[in-house]
Amino acid sequence: MEISRIPQRPEPGKPSFATRFKKGFREYRIAYLFILPTFLFMLMVHILPMIQGIWMSLLKLNQFTLNQFLRAPFIGIKNYTELIFNENNPVRQGLGYALRNTAIYSVVVTISVMVIGLLVAMLLNRDFPGRGIARAAMLLPWVVPSYVVGVLWGFMWQKEGIINYILVDILHLMAEKPFWLIGQNTIWAIIIPTVWRSWPFIMVVFLAGLQTIPEDLYESAKIDGAGRFRQFFNITLPMLKPIIAVQLLFQIINNVYSYNIVAMMFGNGSGYPGKWGDLLMTALTRQTFGYWSFGVGAAASFLLMAGMLIIVGIWYRIFRSELRVE
């Protein structure tokens, strides 16, 4: 007698994207509703302006076509070729010096604020009388707006300003009063005020991170005979690696896009800092608006953004394990 085969139930296939989306939306619809305002805000403030800037870089947008704005003549990548290959293009002039200065400025400021912020945070993390007052006092430079910092330090760096008065007349560290806003001294005239204003914020972040490290780790290290240096390199630094990674990225981005202090220090935004003081953002702003070459300026801004994306990608590969990104 032939035994009839029991029909096998077919295995269910993988659900389609639409099915998975509907199921996920029904399951997390409250979360999507909470995220929606943030998404719309990011769309209006970041994504749409970025798309508009990319479109502007493909247009012949200058003083003659500005009234047409986004309907200006389309010229493709000509703005990019002008910027890269045409040495006489007004927007390109001075960008080499600005790129060099921005690299020096970003590296020195980033390292300085990270080191100073961490050292001060470790000092303020100890228990001593008046600790709360000291913590509040350390935040004063960060409270001052950056454009005010640029104006004030611009006066302080004058030849007869307070900096030269302290260095020459009081401390006698120099034989004569130097010009800080001219020549190679200019790069230090913009680095020092930036470091002075930026390190308190890093200090607060590191201080919050230090307070999350269990004291038991340090007590165990002391029992094992570890000194302060071994405790710092074996406990403090490893525990702060995620914070260091994030703050390193933020500092690099902020310093590359730095504008206010330099712009206000030299002619309240209209002056020229010179070959050793000009940064990428001040150079692009001055050259773009000074020559009404908005299309080429938009192309330069897009190339700068692309370069920053490369830096972010390198940062991501280096610190991926510390951030535990899968």
Side-chain angles (χ1 to χ4, degrees):
M1 182 177 62
E2 183 180 357
I3 301 176
S4 60
R5 294 183 179 180
I6 300 175
Q8 298 291 330
R9 187 175 180 180
E11 293 184 7
K14 186 177 180 181
S16 63
F17 173 79
T19 303
R20 288 184 282 115
F21 177 79
K22 291 179 181 178
K23 181 180 178 181
F25 182 80
R26 286 195 302 266
E27 186 175 356
Y28 302 106
R29 58 181 178 272
I30 299 298
Y32 286 127
L33 289 177
F34 281 123
I35 294 175
L36 182 60
T38 302
F39 173 76
L40 294 177
F41 180 81
M42 294 290 292
L43 181 66
M44 292 184 295
V45 176
H46 293 286
I47 299 177
L48 291 180
M50 182 177 65
I51 295 175
Q52 177 179 305
I54 295 174
W55 176 249
M56 288 173 58
S57 68
L58 304 175
L59 304 178
K60 186 179 181 181
L61 193 60
N62 51 35
Q63 67 269 36
F64 303 109
T65 60
L66 185 59
N67 60 338
Q68 303 178 35
F69 196 42
L70 297 180
R71 296 188 298 272
F74 180 83
I75 57 175
I77 62 172
K78 186 176 180 180
N79 289 327
Y80 294 93
T81 58
E82 280 284 315
L83 183 66
I84 297 174
F85 300 108
N86 187 3
E87 296 181 356
N88 297 322
N89 187 277
V91 177
R92 177 178 172 173
Q93 295 176 3
L95 287 186
Y97 298 117
L99 181 61
R100 176 201 61 192
N101 298 338
T102 302
I104 298 173
Y105 173 88
S106 301
V107 171
V108 175
V109 171
T110 299
I111 295 176
S112 300
V113 299
M114 297 284 286
V115 172
I116 296 174
L118 179 56
L119 292 178
V120 177
M122 293 176 64
L123 291 175
L124 295 180
N125 193 42
R126 298 183 176 185
D127 190 11
F128 59 89
R131 183 176 63 175
I133 298 176
R135 289 178 177 179
M138 292 298 178
L139 289 175
L140 290 178
W142 183 56
V143 175
V144 181
S146 57
Y147 61 87
V148 176
V149 173
V151 174
L152 292 179
W153 279 82
F155 286 111
M156 293 168 61
W157 285 123
Q158 298 294 326
K159 186 175 182 180
E160 300 300 328
I162 189 173
I163 302 294
N164 281 337
Y165 177 76
I166 294 175
L167 294 177
V168 179
D169 297 336
I170 297 180
L171 300 178
H172 303 289
L173 297 178
M174 298 181 177
E176 56 183 14
K177 297 180 179 180
F179 291 95
W180 290 102
L181 301 179
I182 299 177
Q184 296 187 12
N185 292 331
T186 311
I187 188 68
W188 299 107
I190 63 176
I191 285 176
I192 294 176
T194 308
V195 173
W196 177 81
R197 184 185 182 272
S198 301
W199 72 261
F201 175 76
I202 305 297
M203 179 266 296
V204 172
V205 176
F206 280 137
L207 184 59
L210 288 171
Q211 293 176 352
T212 63
I213 302 177
E215 286 293 332
D216 297 341
L217 297 178
Y218 293 104
E219 294 297 333
S220 300
K222 290 179 182 177
I223 294 175
D224 293 337
R228 294 189 179 275
F229 285 99
R230 289 187 61 186
Q231 293 177 29
F232 175 75
F233 287 105
N234 295 332
I235 298 176
T236 306
L237 276 184
M239 296 295 289
L240 291 179
K241 270 187 178 182
I243 298 177
I244 294 174
V246 174
Q247 291 305 314
L248 180 64
L249 177 65
F250 286 171
Q251 282 300 309
I252 292 175
I253 294 175
N254 289 336
N255 294 326
V256 170
Y257 289 126
S258 183
Y259 176 82
N260 285 347
I261 291 179
V262 179
M264 300 308 297
M265 189 179 294
F266 296 90
N268 295 331
S270 60
Y272 173 54
K275 293 191 297 185
W276 284 96
D278 212 9
L279 300 181
L280 281 174
M281 294 309 300
T282 55
L284 285 177
T285 303
R286 184 182 62 255
Q287 301 294 85
T288 299
F289 287 89
Y291 292 95
W292 293 64
S293 187
F294 301 107
V296 180
S301 300
F302 177 76
L303 291 178
L304 177 59
M305 184 186 70
M308 290 306 302
L309 289 176
I310 295 174
I311 294 177
V312 171
I314 297 173
W315 169 89
Y316 175 82
R317 294 296 299 272
I318 294 175
F319 294 102
R320 182 174 180 176
S321 60
E322 280 76 11
L323 299 174
R324 297 180 181 177
V325 178
E326 299 298 336

